Amino acid sequence: RRLKKPKTILCIAAILVFAAAAFLGFWLYRHEKAQNDDLRELQSRQSAVLAAEEELSARLTLLEIKSDYAEASYKYFPLGNSITVHAPNEVWWNEVGMAASDADHDYVHLVAAYISASHGKTACHPYYFYAWETAEDRSSKLSLLDPFLDPGLDLVTIQLGENAENLSTFEQDFTELIRYVLAKAPGARVLVIDDFWPDEERSRMKQNAAEKTGAEFISLKDIQGSIDAVAGTGAVVFDPAGNPHTVENADVAAHPGDRGMQAIADRIIE
């Protein structure tokens, strides 16, 4: 009997420890679950706020564009990739065509300035459409253009293709893109701009798409691959505040510099 008592105490202690551990584990589980629930709810609220902000921003952008279109005597929509416009990032400093020295020297602003001189107030809202170039289903991206497309558009330039790697449906997709633009802006003159970096297959497909839809194809064959047309490393460009920056990134340097941008603008103007 004397030997049983310590065993009984040990059993009771073990049960108490187990119970305490179970209670603690249950409490930790409930506490963690509550925290996770709170975190999910917070993330859900943040997502809702971000979605609302994006929707509001899109509506404000649409209102701004529509207002600008209404006041303009000429409406020009430049659609393209980074050669047309690119937002600032760690290797680029101005929201203009990449590698142009400033906002006055990318091809979009050069063309818009020419149009303004001859037609008066010009509405010009360039759009970066890299998402279409790289999408598996390019047709799914076409509705993104709706805020910029208007029945009163006079000119649309399409400078796209350099980032497209999957060419299995490229000609068909480019044809669909032009037809989508024309359906929304039936009075617009549509100019398809050749690839800046030489790619005979893509150029041929873009030219075929233009011919199928009644658009006009602008060849860049005489400047493709020209060392004089690219910015090159060491080029000096300026941010919106006028601060100078030196191009060091090879991808940025391969884009058209001021001479290349002027050459593209000249061909559009011609």
Side-chain angles (χ1 to χ4, degrees), residues 151-182:
L153 277 172
D154 297 288
L155 174 66
V156 178
T157 55
I158 303 178
Q159 178 276 308
L160 287 168
E162 284 88 349
N163 299 300
E165 295 182 358
N166 179 10
L167 300 182
S168 60
T169 62
F170 185 75
E171 184 175 323
Q172 176 186 336
D173 294 339
F174 211 101
T175 302
E176 183 184 22
L177 168 63
I178 299 172
R179 286 178 175 156
Y180 188 88
V181 168
L182 287 171

mmCIF file of all heavy atoms in Angstrom, residues 151-182:
data_model
loop_
_atom_site.group_PDB
_atom_site.id
_atom_site.type_symbol
_atom_site.label_atom_id
_atom_site.label_comp_id
_atom_site.label_asym_id
_atom_site.label_seq_id
_atom_site.Cartn_x
_atom_site.Cartn_y
_atom_site.Cartn_z
ATOM 1 N N PRO A 151 -16.044 57.345 -80.306
ATOM 2 C CA PRO A 151 -16.473 57.468 -81.712
ATOM 3 C C PRO A 151 -15.867 58.677 -82.419
ATOM 4 O O PRO A 151 -15.766 58.685 -83.645
ATOM 5 C CB PRO A 151 -18.002 57.619 -81.589
ATOM 6 C CG PRO A 151 -18.348 56.997 -80.284
ATOM 7 C CD PRO A 151 -17.191 57.270 -79.382
ATOM 8 N N GLY A 152 -15.442 59.675 -81.640
ATOM 9 C CA GLY A 152 -14.896 60.882 -82.245
ATOM 10 C C GLY A 152 -13.392 60.878 -82.440
ATOM 11 O O GLY A 152 -12.817 61.899 -82.857
ATOM 12 N N LEU A 153 -12.724 59.772 -82.160
ATOM 13 C CA LEU A 153 -11.269 59.716 -82.347
ATOM 14 C C LEU A 153 -10.895 59.977 -83.806
ATOM 15 O O LEU A 153 -11.526 59.454 -84.726
ATOM 16 C CB LEU A 153 -10.722 58.355 -81.922
ATOM 17 C CG LEU A 153 -10.441 58.135 -80.430
ATOM 18 C CD1 LEU A 153 -10.086 56.682 -80.165
ATOM 19 C CD2 LEU A 153 -9.318 59.043 -79.946
ATOM 20 N N ASP A 154 -9.853 60.780 -83.990
ATOM 21 C CA ASP A 154 -9.374 61.087 -85.339
ATOM 22 C C ASP A 154 -8.227 60.177 -85.758
ATOM 23 O O ASP A 154 -8.133 59.795 -86.922
ATOM 24 C CB ASP A 154 -8.904 62.548 -85.401
ATOM 25 C CG ASP A 154 -10.034 63.520 -85.142
ATOM 26 O OD1 ASP A 154 -10.903 63.661 -86.012
ATOM 27 O OD2 ASP A 154 -10.059 64.132 -84.048
ATOM 28 N N LEU A 155 -7.344 59.868 -84.808
ATOM 29 C CA LEU A 155 -6.148 59.091 -85.134
ATOM 30 C C LEU A 155 -5.830 58.104 -84.030
ATOM 31 O O LEU A 155 -5.862 58.457 -82.845
ATOM 32 C CB LEU A 155 -4.955 60.033 -85.340
ATOM 33 C CG LEU A 155 -3.575 59.378 -85.542
ATOM 34 C CD1 LEU A 155 -3.539 58.592 -86.856
ATOM 35 C CD2 LEU A 155 -2.474 60.432 -85.517
ATOM 36 N N VAL A 156 -5.497 56.879 -84.415
ATOM 37 C CA VAL A 156 -4.999 55.862 -83.484
ATOM 38 C C VAL A 156 -3.708 55.304 -84.069
ATOM 39 O O VAL A 156 -3.687 54.862 -85.228
ATOM 40 C CB VAL A 156 -6.008 54.714 -83.278
ATOM 41 C CG1 VAL A 156 -5.425 53.664 -82.330
ATOM 42 C CG2 VAL A 156 -7.334 55.233 -82.734
ATOM 43 N N THR A 157 -2.633 55.356 -83.299
ATOM 44 C CA THR A 157 -1.394 54.696 -83.719
ATOM 45 C C THR A 157 -1.204 53.468 -82.836
ATOM 46 O O THR A 157 -1.371 53.548 -81.618
ATOM 47 C CB THR A 157 -0.172 55.621 -83.613
ATOM 48 O OG1 THR A 157 -0.064 56.142 -82.289
ATOM 49 C CG2 THR A 157 -0.283 56.768 -84.599
ATOM 50 N N ILE A 158 -0.878 52.345 -83.445
ATOM 51 C CA ILE A 158 -0.692 51.089 -82.710
ATOM 52 C C ILE A 158 0.760 50.654 -82.849
ATOM 53 O O ILE A 158 1.208 50.247 -83.919
ATOM 54 C CB ILE A 158 -1.630 49.986 -83.228
ATOM 55 C CG1 ILE A 158 -3.089 50.442 -83.145
ATOM 56 C CG2 ILE A 158 -1.430 48.705 -82.417
ATOM 57 C CD1 ILE A 158 -4.090 49.432 -83.686
ATOM 58 N N GLN A 159 1.490 50.772 -81.753
ATOM 59 C CA GLN A 159 2.913 50.413 -81.716
ATOM 60 C C GLN A 159 3.052 49.263 -80.723
ATOM 61 O O GLN A 159 3.289 49.449 -79.551
ATOM 62 C CB GLN A 159 3.737 51.651 -81.294
ATOM 63 C CG GLN A 159 5.235 51.426 -81.154
ATOM 64 C CD GLN A 159 5.617 50.870 -79.798
ATOM 65 O OE1 GLN A 159 5.234 51.413 -78.753
ATOM 66 N NE2 GLN A 159 6.364 49.772 -79.811
ATOM 67 N N LEU A 160 2.840 48.052 -81.198
ATOM 68 C CA LEU A 160 2.832 46.873 -80.339
ATOM 69 C C LEU A 160 3.489 45.698 -81.056
ATOM 70 O O LEU A 160 3.469 45.624 -82.278
ATOM 71 C CB LEU A 160 1.402 46.485 -79.962
ATOM 72 C CG LEU A 160 0.660 47.358 -78.944
ATOM 73 C CD1 LEU A 160 -0.819 47.003 -78.919
ATOM 74 C CD2 LEU A 160 1.270 47.198 -77.558
ATOM 75 N N GLY A 161 4.036 44.775 -80.271
ATOM 76 C CA GLY A 161 4.555 43.539 -80.837
ATOM 77 C C GLY A 161 5.924 43.142 -80.342
ATOM 78 O O GLY A 161 6.247 41.954 -80.269
ATOM 79 N N GLU A 162 6.757 44.108 -79.991
ATOM 80 C CA GLU A 162 8.143 43.800 -79.621
ATOM 81 C C GLU A 162 8.244 42.826 -78.450
ATOM 82 O O GLU A 162 9.227 42.084 -78.346
ATOM 83 C CB GLU A 162 8.900 45.086 -79.281
ATOM 84 C CG GLU A 162 9.297 45.922 -80.477
ATOM 85 C CD GLU A 162 8.236 46.909 -80.916
ATOM 86 O OE1 GLU A 162 7.087 46.795 -80.419
ATOM 87 O OE2 GLU A 162 8.522 47.774 -81.746
ATOM 88 N N ASN A 163 7.267 42.815 -77.559
ATOM 89 C CA ASN A 163 7.311 41.926 -76.388
ATOM 90 C C ASN A 163 6.540 40.621 -76.590
ATOM 91 O O ASN A 163 6.474 39.792 -75.680
ATOM 92 C CB ASN A 163 6.745 42.650 -75.162
ATOM 93 C CG ASN A 163 7.548 43.891 -74.809
ATOM 94 O OD1 ASN A 163 8.726 43.798 -74.521
ATOM 95 N ND2 ASN A 163 6.903 45.047 -74.843
ATOM 96 N N ALA A 164 5.969 40.437 -77.767
ATOM 97 C CA ALA A 164 5.180 39.231 -78.039
ATOM 98 C C ALA A 164 6.107 38.082 -78.421
ATOM 99 O O ALA A 164 6.830 38.164 -79.420
ATOM 100 C CB ALA A 164 4.176 39.503 -79.145
ATOM 101 N N GLU A 165 6.083 37.033 -77.625
ATOM 102 C CA GLU A 165 6.915 35.859 -77.916
ATOM 103 C C GLU A 165 6.107 34.748 -78.586
ATOM 104 O O GLU A 165 6.611 34.050 -79.455
ATOM 105 C CB GLU A 165 7.566 35.359 -76.626
ATOM 106 C CG GLU A 165 8.559 36.359 -76.029
ATOM 107 C CD GLU A 165 9.237 35.825 -74.784
ATOM 108 O OE1 GLU A 165 8.910 34.687 -74.372
ATOM 109 O OE2 GLU A 165 10.089 36.537 -74.220
ATOM 110 N N ASN A 166 4.870 34.587 -78.172
ATOM 111 C CA ASN A 166 4.008 33.581 -78.782
ATOM 112 C C ASN A 166 3.377 34.174 -80.041
ATOM 113 O O ASN A 166 2.488 35.022 -79.972
ATOM 114 C CB ASN A 166 2.914 33.143 -77.804
ATOM 115 C CG ASN A 166 1.980 32.111 -78.409
ATOM 116 O OD1 ASN A 166 2.234 31.580 -79.492
ATOM 117 N ND2 ASN A 166 0.890 31.833 -77.710
ATOM 118 N N LEU A 167 3.857 33.732 -81.202
ATOM 119 C CA LEU A 167 3.367 34.281 -82.465
ATOM 120 C C LEU A 167 2.397 33.348 -83.182
ATOM 121 O O LEU A 167 2.007 33.610 -84.324
ATOM 122 C CB LEU A 167 4.559 34.577 -83.387
ATOM 123 C CG LEU A 167 5.600 35.585 -82.870
ATOM 124 C CD1 LEU A 167 6.684 35.804 -83.916
ATOM 125 C CD2 LEU A 167 4.953 36.901 -82.485
ATOM 126 N N SER A 168 1.984 32.275 -82.515
ATOM 127 C CA SER A 168 1.120 31.286 -83.167
ATOM 128 C C SER A 168 -0.212 31.892 -83.599
ATOM 129 O O SER A 168 -0.786 31.482 -84.619
ATOM 130 C CB SER A 168 0.888 30.090 -82.238
ATOM 131 O OG SER A 168 0.261 30.506 -81.028
ATOM 132 N N THR A 169 -0.725 32.861 -82.834
ATOM 133 C CA THR A 169 -1.995 33.520 -83.195
ATOM 134 C C THR A 169 -1.803 35.033 -83.337
ATOM 135 O O THR A 169 -2.780 35.780 -83.305
ATOM 136 C CB THR A 169 -3.070 33.240 -82.127
ATOM 137 O OG1 THR A 169 -2.630 33.785 -80.851
ATOM 138 C CG2 THR A 169 -3.327 31.758 -81.964
ATOM 139 N N PHE A 170 -0.569 35.472 -83.478
ATOM 140 C CA PHE A 170 -0.283 36.915 -83.422
ATOM 141 C C PHE A 170 -0.986 37.685 -84.529
ATOM 142 O O PHE A 170 -1.598 38.734 -84.277
ATOM 143 C CB PHE A 170 1.226 37.158 -83.484
ATOM 144 C CG PHE A 170 1.600 38.600 -83.323
ATOM 145 C CD1 PHE A 170 1.557 39.224 -82.088
ATOM 146 C CD2 PHE A 170 1.984 39.361 -84.429
ATOM 147 C CE1 PHE A 170 1.889 40.562 -81.936
ATOM 148 C CE2 PHE A 170 2.329 40.691 -84.289
ATOM 149 C CZ PHE A 170 2.276 41.300 -83.043
ATOM 150 N N GLU A 171 -0.911 37.210 -85.757
ATOM 151 C CA GLU A 171 -1.557 37.924 -86.862
ATOM 152 C C GLU A 171 -3.062 38.011 -86.648
ATOM 153 O O GLU A 171 -3.681 39.055 -86.847
ATOM 154 C CB GLU A 171 -1.239 37.254 -88.193
ATOM 155 C CG GLU A 171 -1.798 38.014 -89.394
ATOM 156 C CD GLU A 171 -1.366 37.401 -90.722
ATOM 157 O OE1 GLU A 171 -0.213 36.936 -90.830
ATOM 158 O OE2 GLU A 171 -2.194 37.411 -91.660
ATOM 159 N N GLN A 172 -3.655 36.897 -86.241
ATOM 160 C CA GLN A 172 -5.095 36.865 -85.953
ATOM 161 C C GLN A 172 -5.435 37.828 -84.814
ATOM 162 O O GLN A 172 -6.426 38.576 -84.881
ATOM 163 C CB GLN A 172 -5.509 35.442 -85.578
ATOM 164 C CG GLN A 172 -6.956 35.288 -85.159
ATOM 165 C CD GLN A 172 -7.249 33.871 -84.672
ATOM 166 O OE1 GLN A 172 -6.552 32.921 -85.043
ATOM 167 N NE2 GLN A 172 -8.278 33.735 -83.837
ATOM 168 N N ASP A 173 -4.624 37.818 -83.760
ATOM 169 C CA ASP A 173 -4.873 38.682 -82.605
ATOM 170 C C ASP A 173 -4.710 40.156 -82.962
ATOM 171 O O ASP A 173 -5.471 41.010 -82.500
ATOM 172 C CB ASP A 173 -3.921 38.327 -81.461
ATOM 173 C CG ASP A 173 -4.175 36.939 -80.890
ATOM 174 O OD1 ASP A 173 -5.285 36.418 -81.076
ATOM 175 O OD2 ASP A 173 -3.245 36.380 -80.279
ATOM 176 N N PHE A 174 -3.708 40.465 -83.798
ATOM 177 C CA PHE A 174 -3.484 41.858 -84.193
ATOM 178 C C PHE A 174 -4.634 42.354 -85.065
ATOM 179 O O PHE A 174 -5.083 43.497 -84.943
ATOM 180 C CB PHE A 174 -2.151 41.997 -84.939
ATOM 181 C CG PHE A 174 -1.491 43.327 -84.735
ATOM 182 C CD1 PHE A 174 -0.439 43.470 -83.843
ATOM 183 C CD2 PHE A 174 -1.923 44.454 -85.423
ATOM 184 C CE1 PHE A 174 0.173 44.703 -83.637
ATOM 185 C CE2 PHE A 174 -1.322 45.686 -85.231
ATOM 186 C CZ PHE A 174 -0.273 45.810 -84.334
ATOM 187 N N THR A 175 -5.116 41.476 -85.927
ATOM 188 C CA THR A 175 -6.270 41.807 -86.765
ATOM 189 C C THR A 175 -7.488 42.084 -85.890
ATOM 190 O O THR A 175 -8.225 43.061 -86.114
ATOM 191 C CB THR A 175 -6.574 40.648 -87.736
ATOM 192 O OG1 THR A 175 -5.428 40.389 -88.542
ATOM 193 C CG2 THR A 175 -7.759 40.972 -88.620
ATOM 194 N N GLU A 176 -7.689 41.232 -84.879
ATOM 195 C CA GLU A 176 -8.808 41.411 -83.955
ATOM 196 C C GLU A 176 -8.676 42.728 -83.191
ATOM 197 O O GLU A 176 -9.664 43.437 -82.973
ATOM 198 C CB GLU A 176 -8.877 40.242 -82.975
ATOM 199 C CG GLU A 176 -10.052 40.313 -82.011
ATOM 200 C CD GLU A 176 -10.046 39.189 -80.987
ATOM 201 O OE1 GLU A 176 -8.969 38.605 -80.746
ATOM 202 O OE2 GLU A 176 -11.115 38.918 -80.410
ATOM 203 N N LEU A 177 -7.449 43.066 -82.790
ATOM 204 C CA LEU A 177 -7.204 44.321 -82.077
ATOM 205 C C LEU A 177 -7.600 45.529 -82.932
ATOM 206 O O LEU A 177 -8.305 46.433 -82.460
ATOM 207 C CB LEU A 177 -5.721 44.410 -81.704
ATOM 208 C CG LEU A 177 -5.197 45.763 -81.211
ATOM 209 C CD1 LEU A 177 -5.875 46.174 -79.921
ATOM 210 C CD2 LEU A 177 -3.680 45.711 -81.027
ATOM 211 N N ILE A 178 -7.170 45.559 -84.174
ATOM 212 C CA ILE A 178 -7.503 46.681 -85.059
ATOM 213 C C ILE A 178 -9.014 46.772 -85.253
ATOM 214 O O ILE A 178 -9.592 47.869 -85.201
ATOM 215 C CB ILE A 178 -6.790 46.540 -86.414
ATOM 216 C CG1 ILE A 178 -5.272 46.534 -86.229
ATOM 217 C CG2 ILE A 178 -7.200 47.681 -87.354
ATOM 218 C CD1 ILE A 178 -4.502 46.196 -87.507
ATOM 219 N N ARG A 179 -9.656 45.647 -85.475
ATOM 220 C CA ARG A 179 -11.107 45.647 -85.687
ATOM 221 C C ARG A 179 -11.852 46.104 -84.432
ATOM 222 O O ARG A 179 -12.886 46.775 -84.526
ATOM 223 C CB ARG A 179 -11.565 44.252 -86.120
ATOM 224 C CG ARG A 179 -11.185 43.951 -87.563
ATOM 225 C CD ARG A 179 -11.575 42.562 -87.997
ATOM 226 N NE ARG A 179 -11.287 42.363 -89.428
ATOM 227 C CZ ARG A 179 -11.089 41.188 -90.003
ATOM 228 N NH1 ARG A 179 -11.148 40.077 -89.278
ATOM 229 N NH2 ARG A 179 -10.840 41.104 -91.294
ATOM 230 N N TYR A 180 -11.320 45.752 -83.263
ATOM 231 C CA TYR A 180 -11.933 46.199 -82.010
ATOM 232 C C TYR A 180 -11.856 47.723 -81.907
ATOM 233 O O TYR A 180 -12.836 48.383 -81.537
ATOM 234 C CB TYR A 180 -11.224 45.548 -80.823
ATOM 235 C CG TYR A 180 -11.895 45.782 -79.491
ATOM 236 C CD1 TYR A 180 -12.889 44.924 -79.033
ATOM 237 C CD2 TYR A 180 -11.541 46.860 -78.674
ATOM 238 C CE1 TYR A 180 -13.514 45.123 -77.811
ATOM 239 C CE2 TYR A 180 -12.151 47.076 -77.463
ATOM 240 C CZ TYR A 180 -13.145 46.196 -77.025
ATOM 241 O OH TYR A 180 -13.757 46.421 -75.817
ATOM 242 N N VAL A 181 -10.682 48.260 -82.236
ATOM 243 C CA VAL A 181 -10.495 49.715 -82.203
ATOM 244 C C VAL A 181 -11.451 50.397 -83.183
ATOM 245 O O VAL A 181 -12.123 51.380 -82.844
ATOM 246 C CB VAL A 181 -9.029 50.071 -82.536
ATOM 247 C CG1 VAL A 181 -8.879 51.572 -82.792
ATOM 248 C CG2 VAL A 181 -8.101 49.631 -81.404
ATOM 249 N N LEU A 182 -11.543 49.875 -84.394
ATOM 250 C CA LEU A 182 -12.390 50.481 -85.411
ATOM 251 C C LEU A 182 -13.877 50.373 -85.078
ATOM 252 O O LEU A 182 -14.664 51.247 -85.437
ATOM 253 C CB LEU A 182 -12.108 49.849 -86.774
ATOM 254 C CG LEU A 182 -10.780 50.255 -87.421
ATOM 255 C CD1 LEU A 182 -10.494 49.405 -88.655
ATOM 256 C CD2 LEU A 182 -10.799 51.732 -87.786
#
